[in-house]
Amino acid sequence: MVIRNSKGQDFADWQGGEEHMSFLIMAMAEMPEEQIKIEKLYEKYNRLMYVAAYHILNHHEDAEDAVIHAWEKIIRHLDKISEIDCQETKSFIVIITERAAIDHYRKNKKKNQMEVVYDEQEQSPFFLTRDQELENVELNHLFRGLTKKYSDVLILYYVNGLSGKEIADILGLKEDTVMQRLHRGRLKLKREMGMDE
């Protein structure tokens, strides 16, 4: 199957590697019930994960590597996923995948000594929320107005209910940095909403 971006460019023929990737991901599970949950998540979100990673990396093999790294993090936090088919899970998975792709990009950038700039303030085309209050168009618009470093932390904290420590692990940050971003993100949201203290 060939996946195309909005410009009609091929993402890559990704069908051949799926069976191998599926095997690797299933091997990460420790218990049979985890395997079942992972299999359902894989069937529902793996293609979306690949597209999100490819959107950042623009390279087939790098996107696959980022997706595998994202699966490692998702499996470590599998207990945080209660429902397979919901916005909360989708947001959780896309944020982890985007972070894995950005990390992969940075590692490659350092390795290759290339001078390519990635704008982290670019908003994800996959930004979605589940929470009814966040479905409010105005609040959703305000969230989109934040930079990714604040919006990702706020989504993982408020929408996915993760702790500061868990967010730090997922995003590869120090817990103090996560708490600082939460605080600053809240302040920015309040300013956007006209609720200055």
Side-chain angles (χ1 to χ4, degrees):
M1 171 180 215
V2 176
I3 303 169
R4 299 190 195 295
N5 64 12
S6 60
K7 297 175 185 171
Q9 300 165 319
D10 291 354
F11 277 116
D13 187 357
W14 158 246
Q15 188 68 30
E18 277 192 52
E19 189 174 307
H20 178 68
M21 185 180 286
S22 171
F23 175 77
L24 287 174
I25 292 165
M26 293 305 151
M28 291 183 218
E30 295 178 12
M31 302 207 197
E33 55 272 4
E34 285 182 350
Q35 283 186 337
I36 293 168
K37 193 174 196 177
I38 293 167
E39 187 175 346
K40 288 179 181 177
L41 286 167
Y42 181 87
E43 289 171 6
K44 179 76 178 163
Y45 297 109
N46 198 62
R47 200 163 299 276
L48 173 64
M49 291 170 70
Y50 173 78
V51 171
Y54 191 90
H55 174 74
I56 292 168
L57 297 166
N58 293 315
H59 190 266
H60 173 67
E61 287 83 11
D62 289 344
E64 284 182 337
D65 291 346
V67 168
I68 295 258
H69 183 65
W71 274 113
E72 291 170 357
K73 287 187 176 192
I74 290 167
I75 290 169
R76 269 190 302 198
H77 297 281
L78 202 56
D79 61 318
K80 299 297 175 191
I81 299 174
S82 56
E83 289 183 51
I84 303 295
D85 191 11
C86 69
Q87 265 326 118
E88 179 179 316
T89 300
K90 185 176 184 178
S91 296
F92 179 71
I93 287 173
V94 168
I95 288 170
I96 290 173
T97 304
E98 288 176 336
R99 178 54 67 167
I102 291 167
D103 290 346
H104 189 80
Y105 173 84
R106 287 181 178 152
K107 285 178 189 172
N108 283 345
K109 180 180 172 185
K110 286 178 185 176
K111 197 185 312 180
N112 298 329
Q113 300 292 323
M114 296 177 78
E115 287 293 323
V116 180
V117 177
Y118 176 75
D119 181 9
E120 273 198 20
Q121 296 180 13
E122 176 184 351
Q123 296 299 315
S124 167
F126 306 105
F127 176 90
L128 295 167
T129 59
R130 171 199 63 87
D131 208 346
Q132 298 233 337
E133 290 127 275
L134 295 177
E135 296 272 333
N136 177 306
V137 175
E138 185 178 327
L139 190 54
N140 195 0
H141 177 72
L142 291 172
F143 248 44
R144 287 178 184 261
L146 294 175
T147 60
K148 281 195 65 56
K149 74 179 187 179
Y150 296 122
S151 66
D152 285 354
V153 170
L154 289 168
I155 291 168
L156 290 171
Y157 187 80
Y158 287 109
V159 177
N160 296 99
L162 300 180
S163 70
K165 184 177 181 179
E166 291 166 328
I167 295 169
D169 180 49
I170 288 169
L171 299 181
L173 301 169
K174 293 180 181 176
E175 187 174 357
D176 290 342
T177 304
V178 168
M179 299 313 286
Q180 186 179 49
R181 287 182 183 181
L182 274 172
H183 176 71
R184 289 180 181 167
R186 280 189 218 112
L187 292 176
K188 287 179 181 287
L189 266 181
K190 284 181 181 180
R191 266 187 247 121
E192 288 285 324
M193 295 169 58
M195 297 170 44
D196 287 338
E197 292 178 9

